[in-house]
Amino acid sequence: MCFLAAAFMLLALSASALAQDVDFKDCGTSPGALKEVKVNPCPSQPCRLQKGQCYSVNVTFTSTTDSQGSRAVVHGIVMGVPVAFSLPEPDGCKSGIRCPIEMGTTYNYMAKLPVQHSYPSIQLVVKWELRDDEDRSIFCWELPVHIEK
């Protein structure tokens, strides 16, 4: 069991090292809390997301609150209208974060963003939030993307 945990951590760290830093817009995180956002693959911006592919998202942040749990909420913003994106695992505590979350502690959140074939080919802004157990924002960032075939 310990070997499996170590192998998973090594795999996660390897994937994180390959991910590209992206220029994101902070949309409400406490100043200084959001350290880094990486998307893999995203060699240039806006990120070009291919339908049928899955992208890894890694976010380094320092929590400004205590929370027993966390939940990711992702929207595509099209012409100012937020459209919900579903995630395979919205529970932040199952996405690289050891819960409970403690104020002042730095975490590395890791998630997958599958791009469904049913999504239209369109330019939009992805808004990604991690919310605490009282539905307050732990972090929030936005990134322009282009979904294509």
Side-chain angles (χ1 to χ4, degrees), residues 9 20 24 27 59 83 87 95 99 108 110 128 135-136:
M9 286 304 295
Q20 291 89 16
F24 61 89
C27 53
V59 180
V83 178
L87 293 175
S95 302
C99 292
N108 187 30
M110 298 175 284
W128 199 299
D135 206 35
R136 296 174 302 204

Side-chain angles (χ1 to χ4, degrees), residues 25-143:
K25 176 185 172 191
D26 190 316
C27 53
T29 308
S30 295
L34 192 52
K35 307 294 186 196
E36 180 178 67
V37 176
K38 292 183 177 186
V39 177
N40 188 35
C42 178
S44 63
Q45 287 183 250
C47 293
R48 297 194 171 288
L49 306 182
Q50 303 291 318
K51 293 179 186 184
Q53 300 296 314
C54 191
Y55 295 82
S56 65
V57 175
N58 297 298
V59 180
T60 303
F61 69 97
T62 301
S63 181
T64 58
T65 187
D66 292 321
S67 183
Q68 293 301 308
S70 62
R71 177 179 54 89
V73 179
V74 180
H75 289 90
I77 301 176
V78 182
M79 295 188 290
V81 178
V83 178
F85 275 15
S86 63
L87 293 175
E89 183 53 76
D91 186 345
C93 300
K94 295 179 181 176
S95 302
I97 298 173
R98 177 174 281 182
C99 292
I101 296 171
E102 297 177 358
M103 183 176 6
T105 301
T106 299
Y107 296 93
N108 187 30
Y109 167 79
M110 298 175 284
K112 297 291 183 191
L113 178 63
V115 180
Q116 306 297 327
H117 286 286
S118 61
Y119 292 171
S121 296
I122 192 169
Q123 291 186 6
L124 63 126
V125 172
V126 171
K127 180 179 180 180
W128 199 299
E129 295 178 89
L130 189 67
R131 306 195 66 79
D132 69 11
D133 52 11
E134 294 185 19
D135 206 35
R136 296 174 302 204
S137 181
I138 295 174
F139 67 68
C140 179
W141 54 269
E142 295 179 347
L143 179 70

Side-chain angles (χ1 to χ4, degrees), residues 3-16:
F3 173 75
L4 288 175
F8 175 75
M9 286 304 295
L10 182 61
L11 181 62
L13 290 173
S14 297
S16 178

